Amino acid sequence: MRCPCARVWLDCRIMTDFRMSLSRRSLFALSLLSSVAIVPTLRTALAQAETFPTKTIRIVVPFAPGGSGDITARLVGKYIEDKTGQPFVVENKPGANGIVGALSVKTAPPDGYTLMLATTSTNAANIHMYKNPGYDPEKDFQVVGIIGSSGAFLVVPADSPYKTLADLLADAKARPGKLNFGYFNASSQVPAEVLGKRAGVEWQGVAYKAIGNAWTDLYAGAIQFMFVDLTAGRGQVVADKARPLALTLPQRSPLYPNLPTLAESFPGFTSTGFLAIAVPKATPKPVQERLNTLINEAITSPEIAKRLAEEFALTSRALTLEQCAQQDRDERAKWAEYVKIAKIEPQ
């Protein structure tokens, strides 16, 4: 006669095997269903990329018209419009050092039709200058193309008594705290603060919402100098309205061979930034790649490449999505050091 315990053990074993088999079948079924669900989504994304764009593309420039970002965004946008036959609209949304514009793109549909002009301020400096800017450039955005990198002029009015950087610093030392500089983004604020620390002088910063207002006050004498990127400052310099005293580039520019760099007076002192185009992070990868291709085609086209280099002093080259992301991270690390040297306390 078989032991009752053995019968119970056998029944339990059969039930366990059945459950394990059922579990494996369930997992297989779930996996199959997931695959079936993913395939149409992937196909849809690929199909979108093949026909993209089919309507107006909007790029938010988080600064007022007239700056380097606004100028180059329109230049690249015109190329994409001509290439695709779809309208390309530039929308300026200045405020809070680019934060207002960045937040509007962060919450936009991630479909590739709302872009952001990503700058040194929005993607590299703000995260170090503000305690809570409301977005994380690493988590919330993907850079899909880099228009170029450049430096800035230190400019004074053409009729200023300062003929050289030494003149400016001598007056600042003679009158501590009496000179004012204007700024309208991180690229114009941080170099001035760093220069003050390196030269051992005190001056006051005056914040502006738009570069146009800063130019007006510079010429009116309300501020004595300011830093302005080479793209936005070139027109004023060429027109002899502003006098450049120095550049923030590591070496002298071929466009301005007689203009010294700050590094010549203060070894190692450079300040460079970049202009790029970004999308919300959740934008489908095929659409990101399509935008990357269009931007690379734009900046390497003969006419635009010539203008970026000769008119705007921008260093440009075609980059993959992965290379764009890496440069974006490198810029953040670099500007963390700049902000630290400037001793700017996060707001």
Side-chain angles (χ1 to χ4, degrees):
M1 183 177 182
R2 179 176 295 177
C3 174
C5 293
R7 178 58 183 270
V8 170
W9 177 86
L10 181 60
D11 290 344
C12 289
R13 180 58 183 270
I14 292 172
M15 184 59 69
T16 299
D17 290 345
F18 174 76
R19 287 173 177 167
M20 289 180 66
S21 176
L22 181 61
S23 178
R24 292 191 189 100
R25 288 197 298 271
S26 299
L27 288 172
F28 176 76
L30 287 173
S31 176
L32 184 61
L33 287 172
S34 298
S35 299
V36 171
I38 289 171
V39 168
T41 302
L42 181 58
R43 286 176 179 166
T44 299
L46 290 171
Q48 289 174 346
E50 289 176 0
T51 59
F52 181 90
T54 58
K55 61 181 181 180
T56 300
I57 296 177
R58 179 174 66 105
I59 182 167
V60 173
V61 174
F63 296 98
S68 59
D70 180 68
I71 295 169
T72 53
R74 293 177 190 278
L75 189 64
V76 172
K78 182 64 168 59
Y79 177 91
I80 294 176
E81 180 175 285
D82 292 343
K83 177 78 174 181
T84 65
Q86 296 298 332
F88 194 101
V89 177
V90 176
E91 183 177 342
N92 296 91
K93 284 194 174 184
N97 210 33
I99 292 176
V100 172
L103 291 178
S104 73
V105 177
K106 173 187 173 180
T107 56
D111 54 10
Y113 289 97
T114 301
L115 316 179
M116 178 178 75
L117 192 284
T119 69
T120 299
S121 295
T122 61
N123 280 46
N126 283 350
I127 197 168
H128 307 298
M129 297 177 67
Y130 295 87
K131 293 178 181 178
N132 181 22
Y135 69 92
D136 184 321
E138 178 80 20
K139 297 178 180 178
D140 296 326
F141 299 106
Q142 168 67 45
V143 173
V144 292
I146 294 180
I147 299 172
S149 302
S150 189
F153 292 115
L154 189 170
V155 296
V156 297
D159 59 358
S160 170
Y162 311 129
K163 299 296 192 293
T164 65
L165 175 63
D167 292 340
L168 174 67
L169 296 179
D171 192 30
K173 288 180 179 179
R175 300 189 296 148
K178 298 301 182 181
L179 271 62
N180 299 320
F181 70 89
Y183 67 90
F184 41 87
N185 58 19
S187 295
S188 55
Q189 179 185 6
V190 174
E193 299 285 9
V194 173
L195 179 58
K197 300 296 185 297
R198 291 291 300 270
V201 299
E202 295 180 16
W203 41 43
Q204 303 298 319
V206 179
Y208 292 90
K209 185 176 182 179
I211 186 174
N213 302 121
W215 283 121
T216 298
D217 275 6
L218 181 73
Y219 297 141
I223 57 177
Q224 283 67 56
F225 73 96
M226 68 180 183
F227 281 85
V228 57
D229 64 78
L230 302 184
T231 302
R234 178 174 170 78
Q236 303 295 314
V237 170
V238 170
D240 290 326
K241 292 183 177 181
R243 176 188 300 141
L245 302 183
L247 286 174
T248 65
L249 294 170
Q251 297 88 28
R252 293 195 183 196
S253 168
L255 295 179
Y256 313 97
N258 298 320
L259 187 60
T261 66
L262 288 173
E264 291 175 36
S265 299
F266 302 95
F269 183 8
T270 63
S271 174
T272 58
F274 76 132
L275 295 170
I277 294 178
V279 294
K281 196 80 168 186
T283 302
K285 187 69 173 290
V287 174
Q288 292 183 20
E289 290 173 343
R290 173 64 173 152
L291 286 166
N292 177 250
T293 297
L294 289 170
I295 295 166
N296 284 338
E297 288 178 357
I299 65 173
T300 57
S301 64
E303 181 182 352
I304 293 181
K306 182 180 175 67
R307 292 191 65 186
L308 291 178
E310 297 182 4
E311 291 184 34
F312 306 137
L314 284 169
T315 300
S316 305
R317 62 191 180 97
L319 299 175
T320 65
L321 286 176
E322 291 71 22
Q323 290 171 327
C324 288
Q326 185 58 54
Q327 182 165 336
D328 190 36
R329 288 189 289 269
D330 291 344
E331 292 289 336
R332 271 192 291 283
K334 181 174 68 178
W335 277 81
E337 289 300 312
Y338 289 163
V339 172
K340 182 179 179 181
I341 294 170
K343 296 182 179 179
I344 297 176
E345 292 295 325
Q347 298 179 19

